[in-house]
Amino acid sequence: MTLNPFTNRQPYPSPAPSPPSGTTTIDRTGARSLTVLASSRAVIEGELTAATVVIDQYTGKITSVFHSVLPASDFPPGTSYMDHSPHIILPGLVDAHVHLNEPGRTEWEGFYTGTRAAAFGGVTTVVDMPLNAIPPTTTVAGLKEKVQAAQGKCWVDVGFYGGIVPGNASELRPLVEEGVRGFKGFLIDSGVPEFPAVSSTDIALAMTALANEPTTLMFHAEMIPPIAASVGDDVQWSLPPLAPIGPLNEYATFLASRPISFETYAIAEILSLAHIAPELPLHIVHLSAIEAIPLLQQAIANGVKVTAETCFHYLSLAAESVKDGDTRHKCCPPIRSKSNQDGLWEELTQHDGCIKTVVSDHSPCTPNLKLLPSSISSLGTTNAPHTTDDGGESERGKGDFFAAWGGVSSVGLGLSILWTEGQSRAISIEDVVKWCCKNTAKQVGLEGQKGDLAVGFDGDVAVFDDEGAFEVGEEAMLFRNKCSPYQGMTLKGVVKETWLRGQRVWERDGRGFGKKGPVGKLLLERRCEKS
Ligand SMILES: [Zn+2]
């Protein structure tokens, strides 16, 4: 016998959340007030199980979760009920590292296009990085401009990071009050002039300012080791520091210019300062070099609160396969060797490894800045003007890994990228949910709201066909500029539907994005005191 959830005992009862004030009360037993998503396979609180998830359409919150597939007849007439068996119901992904670039560089990406691309891939929350938009999010005024630019354009929920730059320590606590989810600083040139790198002195100031705040301090951990003022007797004859050694269109030349030591040196520098704010969570974004892992493990063993993320591209692409001139693969830190990739997977799959999360670091630009040679296939067109930095249509300068913008475009493709790569690595769907939903939500202070399917959480759901496959063509790259190293690849695992707080925002085999328009919210509630 199946219990009727509205007349009998509920496995996970919970009072319905109060409706927002200032609105009329609705009849909770009435038609069309519930969304019910069921499947013989769902990831609930980290485990694969049959489930029926009940979402209050009014609040957007999950009100009940049953560990079985209940029939539609158990719910009031008019309930929006769907049994998705055998597709997997997952929590919507939380991509905690995305560059949306609006305002200021909206031709690179924007809230509308970037969040549509996210929704396409089952991502229901993105957190926007503080740089590449103009102004950057390094002041409260900058955040307010960004929030203004984002209004009404977001297909999924969007949170914001603040930035650490020289001289802005007094802005950091006000930014916490305004709801930023964390902060990021660079220890090396960021690529844009309005977001300069920080010194150790700046980091110390930021740590002091944020020491007792509910936030996370994150770093782009590459750093050029300082060169001693004297190199002994040969000082008079020493050469200037490194120029690229080798052809500029060969990936090996680029890789050699961003050595492992840049990452290990930067991480050692950050860890050496951690004592300034022992309670402040630190986080290394886009960890690439496995040689940094022992440093992080040792620090964690010594009680330092530090975590790391890696990216879909470091786990799926390898230096050996990058063709000359294929600047779609340029990012910093660089995509390294296949054996390095294996090492990242090994750490990621450790129960207590230091790499807790996997994110996209979606960082697009216009095709002209990518300097992609015409010989490398490009499926897409672009909304960007057809001007180029190198004087028109000529191939001059194309394929130059040093002059090309660094960044990989992949928001919305991550679930399928991981699932494809994971086929040969015995990865479970629960693993993916842990890295891309639960742990990313925790990193940005959204645990309890995002990243799981449990009572009280937002009804954010991805419906995933783990047996399906698709080729990454233009229709699968909904970000503004259709330029990505995944272009033309066949990926395993297809997101069929994406639900945001109980509303379907994307349906692959049907209405697409539908007529409701962007219903994403800006996540600007101040982070709670302690997680
Ligand atoms: Zn980034």
Side-chain angles (χ1 to χ4, degrees):
M1 187 189 75
T2 304
L3 293 176
N4 181 313
F6 296 93
T7 55
N8 293 299
R9 183 174 58 84
Q10 296 184 9
Y12 296 93
S14 159
S18 314
S21 58
T23 52
T24 51
T25 308
I26 57 161
D27 176 4
R28 284 187 35 74
T29 62
R32 298 166 56 199
S33 64
L34 299 176
T35 293
V36 176
L37 303 174
S39 177
S40 54
R41 295 191 300 158
V43 181
I44 306 293
E45 298 181 24
E47 301 214 349
L48 190 64
T49 174
T52 302
V53 178
V54 182
I55 306 165
D56 183 322
Q57 289 182 5
Y58 190 63
T59 62
K61 299 282 186 189
I62 297 171
T63 55
S64 315
V65 178
F66 302 89
H67 283 233
S68 63
V69 176
L70 300 181
S73 58
D74 275 14
F75 297 90
T79 293
S80 170
Y81 174 96
M82 273 140 288
D83 180 353
H84 288 286
S85 306
H87 299 149
I88 309 176
I89 292 178
L90 310 173
L93 277 71
V94 177
D95 190 339
H97 191 151
V98 170
H99 296 262
L100 293 175
N101 305 339
E102 184 174 359
R105 290 192 179 89
T106 310
E107 69 276 18
W108 292 16
E109 191 59 278
F111 289 104
Y112 191 93
T113 47
T115 58
R116 252 169 108 91
F120 170 89
V123 177
T124 49
T125 305
V126 297
V127 189
D128 178 56
M129 277 293 165
L131 71 158
N132 299 350
I134 305 173
T137 320
T138 50
T139 62
V140 169
L143 174 67
K144 288 192 167 161
E145 276 197 53
K146 194 173 268 194
V147 166
Q148 184 67 28
Q151 296 291 349
K153 295 179 189 161
C154 299
W155 291 86
V156 302
D157 287 356
V158 177
F160 300 93
Y161 290 119
I164 306 277
V165 291
N168 83 329
S170 65
E171 290 280 341
L172 305 182
R173 274 187 280 194
L175 280 165
V176 173
E177 295 303 317
E178 294 293 327
V180 299
R181 315 303 315 174
F183 292 89
K184 179 191 183 183
F186 275 68
L187 281 75
I188 199 167
D189 178 50
S190 75
V192 292
E194 66 278 2
F195 201 94
V198 285
S199 67
S200 299
T201 309
D202 301 316
I203 296 171
L205 286 170
M207 285 177 167
T208 303
L210 296 173
N212 298 306
E213 297 294 322
T215 194
T216 305
L217 183 54
M218 315 190 299
F219 296 97
H220 178 124
E222 282 184 295
M223 181 178 183
I224 300 174
I227 296 165
S230 165
V231 287
D233 293 344
D234 285 338
V235 65
Q236 300 168 70
W237 298 282
S238 65
L239 295 169
L242 294 172
I245 300 167
L248 302 185
N249 71 332
E250 284 185 10
Y251 189 74
T253 312
F254 169 65
L255 184 57
S257 78
R258 313 284 298 209
I260 288 158
S261 57
F262 281 20
E263 284 193 70
T264 54
Y265 196 92
I267 288 172
E269 185 75 7
I270 293 157
L271 295 175
S272 77
L273 297 164
H275 65 90
I276 296 171
E279 294 305 313
L280 176 63
L282 306 177
H283 181 75
I284 307 301
V285 299
H286 50 49
L287 183 79
S288 166
I290 55 171
E291 288 77 359
I293 290 170
L295 295 176
L296 292 166
Q297 287 171 333
Q298 186 60 53
I300 292 165
N302 292 342
V304 176
K305 288 189 173 183
V306 63
T307 53
E309 73 192 21
T310 192
C311 302
F312 302 123
H313 43 272
Y314 301 128
L315 295 170
S316 61
L317 305 172
E320 292 90 333
S321 309
V322 181
K323 292 193 172 69
D324 289 353
D326 193 349
T327 53
R328 295 176 301 182
H329 294 77
K330 178 183 174 181
C331 58
C332 298
I335 293 163
R336 302 188 189 277
S337 66
K338 181 76 177 147
S339 64
N340 185 81
Q341 181 191 104
D342 292 341
L344 290 173
W345 273 107
E346 197 179 318
E347 181 66 8
L348 182 62
T349 50
Q350 296 292 318
H351 174 63
D352 55 354
C354 62
I355 303 175
K356 299 289 186 201
T357 52
V358 186
V359 296
S360 69
D361 190 12
H362 174 70
S363 185
C365 65
T366 50
N368 56 310
L369 298 178
K370 225 24 180 162
L371 295 173
L372 191 65
S374 58
S375 57
I376 295 172
S377 82
S378 178
L379 296 171
T381 54
T382 173
N383 298 337
H386 283 277
T387 54
T388 67
D389 279 345
D390 62 349
E393 295 301 314
S394 87
E395 289 292 296
R396 186 161 51 85
K398 294 282 178 72
D400 179 342
F401 278 103
F402 290 81
W405 173 255
V408 169
S409 292
S410 70
V411 67
L413 299 176
L415 176 54
S416 301
I417 292 168
L418 272 194
W419 195 238
T420 305
E421 185 66 24
Q423 295 296 305
S424 58
R425 296 183 186 271
I427 299 309
S428 71
I429 196 67
E430 294 101 313
D431 291 328
V432 176
V433 167
K434 183 173 65 179
W435 305 324
C436 300
C437 307
K438 185 169 190 281
N439 288 356
T440 44
K442 183 167 190 282
Q443 180 198 320
V444 297
L446 290 171
E447 70 272 32
Q449 181 181 351
K450 305 284 190 187
D452 202 352
L453 298 177
V455 170
F457 280 63
D458 285 353
D460 297 349
V461 175
V463 180
F464 186 56
D465 174 4
D466 58 322
E467 292 295 330
F470 68 103
E471 187 180 315
V472 182
E474 188 168 345
E475 71 291 343
M477 295 187 291
L478 298 186
F479 29 85
R480 185 180 295 277
N481 294 294
K482 319 300 181 196
C483 179
S484 167
Y486 297 101
Q487 199 169 329
M489 285 188 193
T490 297
L491 298 181
K492 181 153 192 198
V494 176
V495 173
K496 307 293 279 184
E497 295 184 10
T498 302
W499 292 73
L500 183 67
R501 284 177 276 103
Q503 297 188 61
R504 183 162 49 200
V505 292
W506 160 249
E507 184 182 11
R508 189 178 180 98
D509 304 318
R511 280 169 284 190
F513 283 94
K515 295 195 179 117
K516 276 190 203 138
V519 294
K521 278 186 186 169
L522 307 185
L523 304 171
L524 291 166
E525 219 169 282
R526 188 183 188 276
R527 275 181 71 162
C528 296
E529 280 308 324
K530 280 287 169 241
S531 56

